[in-house]
Amino acid sequence: MWDYSEKVKDHFLHPRNVGEIENPDAVAEVGNITCGDALKLTLRIDKATQRILDARFQTFGCASAIASSSAVTEMIKGMTLDQAAKLSNDDIADFLQGLPEAKMHCSVMGMEALEKAIAAYRHETLAVAEGTVVCRCFGVTDQLIEKVIREHGLTTIEQVTHYCKAGGGCGGCHKEIQKIIDHVNAKPATGKAVAASPAAQKRPLTNLERVKRIEEVVEREIRPWLRNDGGDIEIIDIDRAKVTVALRGTCSNCRVSQFTLKSVVEQKLRELVDETIHVEQVA
Amino acid sequence: MPNVVYLDNNATTAVAPEVLEAMLPYLRESYGNPSSIHTFGGLVMNRISEAREALARLLGAHPSEIIFTSCGTESDSTAILSALATLPDRRHVVTTRVEHPAVRTLCRHLHDTQGLRLTEVGVDHQGRLDMDQYRAAVDDETAVASVMWANNETGVIFPVEECAAIARDHGALFHTDAVQAVGKVPINLANSAIDFLSLSGHKLHAPKGVGALFVRRGTRFSPFLLGGHQESNRRAGTEAVPNLVALGRAADLVLANLDKENTAVAALRDRLERELLARCPDAKVNGDSAHRLPNTTNISFEFIEGEAILLLLDQHGICASSGSACTTGSLEPSHVLRAMGVPFTAAHGSIRFSFSIYNTAADVDKVIEVLPGIVRRLREISPFGRK
């Protein structure tokens, strides 16, 4: 059993401001059901004073995710947007008399939702939402990873996982996370030199080269990742830039397989073989 | 704690009152070392022999085939490492994707550090072992195949006798982690091809800190702990006498209660499952209902998360467990449910109830009374599953 503070228990057992504001002035959704936690935040904002009049949440997740969401809504009601924009996840954790370290990502989710809602209201684009996805299991960008490392002085991959979930799934991104940690902490990089991606080479690939490289990338980069979750992939056909694949095992009936296909297989092939590649799936 | 409804018996069980009584004298006055030459110690050795005989009766084995250990994990490690040590030319291990970490972590460690070839056989959507894959996996390089008798999370029972026969055909040894099965299903190792079987005391109403390993007579054996001559030179270390006596008494009790386990306990489990499915929409059972332990059910409640369910159940004194990521501190849900292809969305909201003979109809009533309300309440908070 987690050692939750009385305040976390209170906000979990008696969550405040559950629900959804009708026709909200700002709305943000972060996380998703596959990742194990998700939060939808809706705000009522007074245009004249730029003050948050009401905040409601809906959360899928564990006790600390529900408590963090409840805490955010309690904290920001009555604040101006400028005040709310300054809230950090530590403020949320402090409000709750602390969270276990492995649960800090719940407070980060609250902060992310708030930032996103405010940005949406102001028609701004968020840097953290921009970035490149590093952790594909949980859809975490390099920007967010960098942010939590900087804000909390993190030095290990495990800590990064606690704060933003990155690296907590298949582990395939651990090297990349380590690189970001080293970069932020201005240490010399320890990882092996990364080979120049063929995509960076200027000469177009011949058909034979393309086929070989696709097979190689699927074998080395994609299949181990899918097998880790009981899935597999089969190349059905390669017709110039069109790669037809079938997902097998667990992947064949996974609701997120479309996501898997687009975000991982296609991204990997584009990155490592040829930017024009597009992937199609057959049963 | 008063009024606890304990439905987490696959995690651990209550020490039976008879077991506690049986072990107490060996914590008090009869503290002798069974290896001593004097009568005071020697008498204790007789009690260990009786405990060994009781375990042999439970398993349909010969007392000389039973080695006492400190836990199920030690039994698993001993068996697998012994098989590898006695068949040094064979560098392949077969196991399953749904094994307990006691076997899974060891095998992966051996693979990672010693370059052993490792095949983890998959399961289907009902959690049943893929026998074609198993048959294809075991070959003439296989030192040991290790397949659990029953899965701890879903209760699904595996055809271990068939697996053992296939291993034997290839000259491989066969080990089964029967920690969840012993005392819940009939076991008779007399005419079986199983070479090693692990069991754990605290899963069958003995205390924590004791286990046993069955090693078939004639199987070459290499000990895990080296030192004194205890357990006929097969497991060094002074015998944990009170625990061994307790395990012997517990073995007699679970053998006597085996019918009750498969009738009365199964009936409680079935009623809970039926009523919960009737009262909670978007809920379904994980695992093959036709081939599973009589005491276990694993139910997924969609759109909500397991830790939240457990903590609200805890408010009512109800103890269960979950395959959700958040309950373990990891971020991914149970490897068993993932191997079965249970969607993450359902795995996050999975709850396991596991019964024992000490559960009552009132326990079931209590869960039926409170859980549907908890599920509704969490779904009201959740952004998913709305009409």
Side-chain angles (χ1 to χ4, degrees):
Chain A
M1 170 81 72
W2 294 104
D3 188 13
Y4 285 131
S5 72
E6 288 307 312
K7 198 85 178 267
V8 172
K9 286 182 199 159
D10 178 39
H11 275 261
F12 166 58
L13 294 174
H14 313 286
R16 279 64 147 180
N17 312 309
V18 173
E20 201 173 354
I21 293 171
E22 268 185 57
N23 304 315
D25 297 307
V27 57
E29 290 177 69
V30 293
N32 66 62
I33 198 166
T34 307
C35 295
D37 44 26
L39 163 58
K40 182 175 184 182
L41 181 68
T42 48
L43 306 178
R44 169 79 59 235
I45 298 165
D46 182 67
K47 285 192 178 57
T49 59
Q50 294 285 293
R51 208 168 272 282
I52 297 170
L53 301 176
D54 196 8
R56 298 284 172 89
F57 80 92
Q58 290 175 331
T59 290
F60 164 84
C62 59
S64 54
I66 291 171
S68 296
S69 310
S70 169
V72 169
T73 57
E74 278 290 274
M75 293 169 80
I76 61 173
K77 277 207 283 185
M79 279 186 177
T80 64
L81 289 183
D82 285 343
Q83 289 168 329
K86 290 199 186 85
L87 275 191
S88 73
N89 74 293
D90 278 341
D91 295 330
I92 299 167
D94 289 348
F95 179 87
L96 289 168
Q97 296 167 347
L99 282 170
E101 191 174 34
K103 296 285 191 174
M104 285 304 284
H105 61 84
C106 296
S107 64
V108 173
M109 181 171 75
M111 179 202 67
E112 275 187 283
L114 180 59
E115 279 181 347
K116 200 169 165 186
I118 295 173
Y121 180 77
R122 291 172 165 170
H123 305 290
E124 292 167 357
T125 328
L126 273 179
V128 286
E130 295 264 284
T132 317
V133 171
V134 171
C135 169
R136 291 177 189 91
C137 296
F138 295 108
V140 189
T141 64
D142 53 355
Q143 300 275 359
L144 181 63
I145 293 170
E146 203 172 314
K147 183 174 156 80
V148 295
I149 294 171
R150 279 191 204 290
E151 288 184 358
H152 302 281
L154 308 183
T155 55
T156 67
I157 295 168
E158 196 186 359
Q159 287 174 325
V160 170
T161 306
H162 289 335
Y163 276 81
C164 66
K165 300 180 90 165
C170 70
C173 61
H174 281 190
K175 271 186 191 166
E176 285 172 81
I177 295 176
Q178 187 61 51
K179 270 167 71 180
I180 301 175
I181 294 172
D182 293 342
H183 169 70
V184 173
N185 296 331
K187 285 180 197 157
T190 51
K192 287 177 210 154
V194 179
S197 100
Q201 295 172 6
K202 288 295 159 219
R203 182 179 61 82
L205 295 170
T206 68
N207 274 338
L208 185 62
E209 281 175 332
R210 186 184 290 112
V211 169
K212 273 188 178 166
R213 283 219 173 116
I214 289 170
E215 282 177 344
E216 201 183 295
V217 168
V218 165
E219 193 56 47
R220 201 186 56 218
E221 301 279 336
I222 298 169
R223 181 163 287 134
W225 184 78
L226 292 170
R227 283 204 172 145
N228 203 42
D229 261 329
D232 205 347
I233 189 168
E234 193 180 327
I235 303 174
I236 305 291
D237 193 14
I238 301 171
D239 181 8
R240 296 189 172 272
K242 187 175 112 182
V243 181
T244 310
V245 300
L247 294 179
R248 302 288 185 224
T250 314
C251 299
S252 61
N253 54 27
C254 173
R255 288 184 196 180
V256 292
S257 68
Q258 270 308 316
F259 167 80
T260 303
L261 194 70
K262 282 290 166 201
S263 79
V264 180
V265 182
E266 197 169 85
Q267 191 183 326
K268 272 283 173 204
L269 292 176
R270 282 180 177 177
E271 181 189 334
L272 297 171
V273 185
D274 180 343
E275 336 183 288
T276 62
I277 282 178
H278 65 105
V279 173
E280 285 187 15
Q281 183 183 3
V282 295
Chain B
M1 277 174 78
N3 303 321
V4 163
V5 174
Y6 189 78
L7 292 171
D8 202 9
N9 287 279
N10 286 9
T12 196
T13 59
V15 173
E18 299 92 330
V19 169
L20 181 63
E21 281 305 312
M23 70 188 289
L24 279 177
Y26 304 92
L27 287 165
R28 289 182 177 139
E29 59 276 10
S30 301
Y31 55 81
N33 186 328
S35 298
S36 299
I37 195 75
H38 42 69
T39 311
F40 183 67
L43 282 177
V44 171
M45 187 50 110
N46 295 341
R47 301 289 89 76
I48 294 179
S49 301
E50 286 165 18
R52 200 183 308 279
E53 284 157 19
L55 262 189
R57 275 195 298 279
L58 175 63
L59 301 178
H62 188 271
S64 66
E65 295 175 312
I66 306 294
I67 301 173
F68 285 110
T69 65
S70 66
C71 58
T73 299
E74 185 194 325
S75 301
D76 290 336
S77 278
T78 303
I80 291 168
L81 294 174
S82 172
L84 289 166
T86 56
L87 295 170
D89 296 338
R90 289 169 172 251
R91 302 281 294 160
H92 179 224
V93 175
V94 176
T95 182
T96 77
R97 287 175 53 81
V98 297
E99 287 302 304
H100 189 276
V103 168
R104 191 164 170 257
T105 307
L106 172 71
C107 291
R108 289 188 171 190
H109 176 78
L110 292 169
H111 169 72
D112 292 345
T113 60
Q114 299 180 23
L116 281 174
R117 191 155 60 87
L118 172 64
T119 310
E120 293 183 348
V121 177
V123 296
D124 68 7
H125 293 310
Q126 303 239 295
R128 293 172 298 209
L129 195 66
D130 183 337
M131 287 304 288
D132 291 337
Q133 209 187 334
Y134 177 83
R135 240 175 250 112
V138 180
D139 58 29
D140 294 343
E141 284 179 17
T142 308
V144 59
S146 180
V147 177
M148 65 199 330
W149 197 303
N151 184 267
N152 47 312
E153 293 190 27
T154 60
V156 172
I157 295 170
F158 288 161
V160 283
E161 292 290 0
E162 198 185 334
C163 291
I166 293 167
R168 182 170 282 188
D169 286 346
H170 288 273
L173 292 165
F174 184 82
H175 165 252
T176 180
D177 177 344
V179 160
Q180 294 293 347
V182 174
K184 296 172 195 161
V185 297
I187 291 179
N188 185 356
L189 297 170
N191 295 305
S192 140
I194 294 170
D195 299 295
F196 302 101
L197 177 145
S198 301
L199 64 89
S200 169
H202 76 105
K203 307 287 193 195
L204 39 91
H205 304 294
K208 295 155 192 71
V210 64
L213 176 65
F214 159 88
V215 183
R216 173 166 305 289
R217 263 187 293 185
T219 305
R220 278 186 294 166
F221 183 76
S222 166
F224 182 54
L225 288 183
L226 300 174
H229 55 77
Q230 293 89 350
E231 298 295 291
S232 307
N233 293 312
R234 293 176 300 179
R235 200 272 187 184
T238 300
E239 298 86 343
V241 180
N243 289 356
L244 272 45
V245 171
L247 183 52
R249 187 75 186 95
D252 278 339
L253 287 175
V254 292
L255 185 57
N257 286 324
L258 191 58
D259 279 345
K260 191 177 174 189
E261 188 83 40
N262 282 277
T263 52
V265 174
L268 289 179
R269 187 269 316 265
D270 291 344
R271 184 162 73 90
L272 178 74
E273 190 172 277
R274 210 168 46 238
E275 293 291 330
L276 288 179
L277 293 180
R279 286 158 200 249
C280 304
D282 298 309
K284 72 173 191 52
V285 173
N286 295 314
D288 177 10
S289 303
H291 301 95
R292 64 178 169 167
L293 298 174
N295 79 319
T296 308
T297 178
N298 187 314
I299 306 177
S300 278
F301 300 93
E302 291 242 31
F303 314 122
I304 53 178
E305 197 279 326
E307 189 209 78
I309 303 173
L310 289 183
L311 292 180
L312 290 175
L313 283 172
D314 190 59
Q315 293 289 309
H316 297 273
I318 298 167
C319 308
S321 69
S322 170
S324 133
C326 289
T327 51
T328 59
S330 81
L331 293 174
E332 293 203 313
S334 131
H335 71 284
V336 176
L337 299 183
R338 277 190 292 143
M340 288 163 64
V342 174
F344 272 38
T345 55
H348 285 301
S350 69
I351 300 291
R352 178 190 69 186
F353 296 102
S354 47
F355 290 74
S356 81
I357 54 158
Y358 297 112
N359 287 116
T360 63
D363 293 341
V364 174
D365 292 340
K366 178 79 179 173
V367 180
I368 295 169
E369 182 196 322
V370 304
L371 183 53
I374 290 173
V375 171
R376 269 198 304 278
R377 176 173 161 185
L378 289 171
R379 283 183 181 161
E380 276 165 20
I381 301 177
S382 172
F384 303 117
R386 299 179 170 271
K387 311 261 157 8

